[in-house]
Amino acid sequence: MTTPVLICDDSSVARKQMARSLPADWDIEISYAVHGEDAIEQLKEGKGEIMFLDLNMPVMDGYETLEEIIKNDIQTMVIVVSGDIQPEAHQRVKALGALEFIKKPIGVDDLTVILEKFGLYAKPTSPQAEAAEAKQATKPAPARRSDKELEAAGSVQYRDCIQEIANVAMGQAADLLARLLDVFVKLPIPNVNILEVSELKMALSQAEQGDTYTAVCQGFIGSGIAGEALLVFSDSSYTDMAKLLKYTGELNDTAELELIMDIASILVGACTGGIAQQLDIAFSQGHPMVLGQHVKVSDLVKTNETRWKQALAIEITYEIENYDITCDLMLLFTEDSIDNLNQRLSYLMD
C-alpha cells in the first residue's frame, strides 16, 4: 500500500534534496509544503502519514507546526530535518512528539538507517530482490526518485541555493555559541540580496533602534571567492554577554572589544567554515578588524562605504532566548565572486 509522505520546507533546494535522498524503491507518494500552515492543511487532507519537517520557516515554523499537530490530534509521524542543530532544538522537537532529528544536509545512508529503525522502510530481503539489488549496485548511477517527483518540489534558483547553504552554516555557528554559553539561540531565516552600498545602509539601519553599536569585520578568500564577514553588536547586549561569559572585571571599552572578538571568532569562523565545507573549498581568513566602537549604524556605513560597492549579502540576526543579546552577521561577497559562487552552486540546481 502506497504511503503518503509530506516534505515541509520553505526552501525548494531542501525539498528537492530531501526527495532525492528517499529510497528509490520505497512505495510512497510525495507531496510538498512550503511552510507549517501549508503542511497542516495537507496533513488534514491525508497527504502525510510520514512528514519530514524543517524548523526555520516563514508563516508557521517547525515548532509551531508540531504544536498544531498535537492541538488538532493529527495522526502523522514526524522526522525533523533542520540546519538548527543546537542540543536544545533536539530536546524541544522530541518533547513535541517528533520521532527523530536529522541535521542538514541529509545523507542518503543515514536517512535509510533511520527509516529502517522506525520500521518505515525495509530493504528487499528475498533472494530475487537481493539479486536485483546486487545488480543495481553494479550500475554507475545510483537509483533515485523519478524526475516527476523531484519536479514537484519546485524550481530552484541560485538565491534559493545560497539561502539554504547559509541556513546550514548559521545553524552550525549557533550550535557552537549555544554550547559555549549554555543557551538557546533563536535563528532567523537568512536574507539573501544583491546590494548597492545605499541598500546596505538601509539593510543595516533596519537594526538600528536608537542604540549604538560596535562592528568587527574579517575578510575571507578562496577558490576565486572573496568577501567580508561583518558582525554588528548592539552596545546594550554587553552586560548580558559578560554575565554569560562569566566576565567579572570592569566592563570598559577594552573588555567589550574582547567580548565581541570572542563572539566574532565563533560566529564568523563557523559560518564561513560551514559555507566553505558545503562548496567544497577552503577559505583563508584575515585578521578581524574593528570598524567602529559605540557608533550609530549610519556612521558605521558612512565611514566604510568605500569598502563596499555592490555585493552579494547574506544577513543573519542572532538572538539569545531570555537575554537582551542581539547581533547581526552580514556576509558580503564581492561582485567579482558571484560568477564563481554560482558555478559552485550549480550542483544544487540539478
Side-chain angles (χ1 to χ4, degrees):
M1 183 176 177
T2 302
T3 302
V5 169
L6 183 62
I7 297 174
C8 179
D9 199 306
D10 61 313
S11 165
S12 57
V13 176
R15 291 195 297 272
K16 187 164 285 189
Q17 283 183 332
M18 186 70 238
R20 188 180 285 133
S21 301
L22 297 172
D25 59 350
W26 193 17
D27 184 15
I28 56 175
E29 181 177 357
I30 306 173
S31 299
Y32 299 93
V34 296
H35 49 65
E37 188 174 286
D38 185 15
I40 293 297
E41 292 301 318
Q42 296 199 48
L43 289 174
K44 289 179 177 177
E45 295 171 3
K47 295 183 178 180
E49 186 175 317
I50 300 167
M51 178 165 70
F52 297 96
L53 177 67
D54 186 27
L55 289 181
N56 300 323
M57 296 180 291
V59 183
M60 181 185 290
D61 65 22
Y63 301 105
E64 294 169 330
T65 306
L66 288 167
E67 290 171 351
E68 199 68 15
I69 288 170
I70 294 172
K71 179 181 175 183
N72 290 279
D73 193 24
I74 297 173
Q75 300 303 306
T76 181
M77 292 175 279
V78 180
I79 295 175
V80 169
V81 184
S82 175
D84 183 356
I85 55 175
Q86 300 176 74
E88 182 72 20
H90 287 233
Q91 296 170 15
R92 292 188 181 192
V93 299
K94 289 289 188 69
L96 290 170
L99 281 181
E100 190 57 277
F101 188 108
I102 304 174
K103 73 173 185 178
K104 290 181 176 177
I106 181 67
V108 177
D109 292 339
D110 292 340
L111 176 60
T112 302
V113 168
I114 289 172
L115 294 175
E116 290 179 324
K117 171 184 173 183
F118 291 103
L120 303 175
Y121 164 77
K123 288 182 179 178
T125 56
S126 67
Q128 295 81 2
E130 287 179 349
E133 186 183 26
K135 184 178 179 181
Q136 181 69 28
T138 64
K139 294 181 178 179
R144 50 175 285 174
R145 307 301 306 189
S146 70
D147 290 341
K148 183 178 180 181
E149 288 175 309
L150 298 177
E151 183 180 350
S155 61
V156 175
Q157 307 296 324
Y158 280 115
R159 185 177 179 278
D160 299 324
C161 297
I162 296 170
Q163 189 172 47
E164 183 59 16
I165 282 179
N167 183 43
V168 172
M170 79 173 185
Q172 294 176 357
D175 179 54
L176 286 177
L177 194 62
R179 291 175 188 271
L180 173 69
L181 303 178
D182 191 23
V183 294
F184 182 68
V185 181
K186 298 166 66 175
L187 291 179
I189 297 169
N191 191 14
V192 178
N193 285 298
I194 300 288
L195 297 178
E196 300 285 347
V197 66
S198 59
E199 296 169 312
L200 177 61
K201 290 179 184 178
M202 292 176 60
L204 289 172
S205 296
Q206 288 178 358
E208 187 173 28
Q209 297 176 348
D211 203 351
T212 53
Y213 294 81
T214 298
V216 173
C217 78
Q218 187 170 8
F220 55 87
I221 187 168
S223 301
I225 299 172
E228 283 188 295
L230 173 65
L231 184 70
V232 182
F233 198 79
S234 168
D235 288 348
S236 63
S237 301
Y238 280 118
T239 302
D240 276 5
M241 185 56 73
K243 290 178 184 175
L244 283 175
L245 287 172
K246 297 181 172 52
Y247 181 81
T248 57
E250 180 185 357
L251 199 56
N252 53 28
D253 287 356
T254 302
E256 290 175 353
L257 276 182
E258 290 179 0
L259 289 175
I260 192 174
M261 286 299 184
D262 286 344
I263 301 302
S265 68
I266 296 169
L267 294 181
V268 174
C271 257
T272 54
I275 290 173
Q277 182 182 26
Q278 293 175 82
L279 296 177
D280 194 24
I281 60 176
F283 284 138
S284 297
Q285 293 189 323
H287 294 291
M289 184 172 67
V290 178
L291 294 179
Q293 191 171 12
H294 309 313
V295 297
K296 295 283 187 182
V297 166
S298 54
D299 295 334
L300 173 69
V301 176
K302 183 178 180 181
T303 304
N304 296 278
E305 62 185 357
T306 56
R307 298 169 59 87
W308 307 305
K309 294 178 181 177
Q310 187 185 60
L312 169 66
I314 303 173
E315 306 168 55
I316 304 169
T317 298
Y318 288 95
E319 294 182 51
I320 296 182
E321 190 175 74
N322 300 324
Y323 290 92
D324 183 19
I325 299 174
T326 301
C327 63
D328 294 299
L329 177 63
M330 184 168 285
L331 301 175
L332 300 165
F333 293 86
T334 63
E335 187 176 0
D336 295 340
S337 302
I338 294 176
D339 285 344
N340 286 329
L341 186 60
N342 287 343
Q343 288 178 16
R344 288 279 175 176
L345 292 169
S346 59
Y347 74 97
L348 290 174
M349 306 281 290
D350 295 337

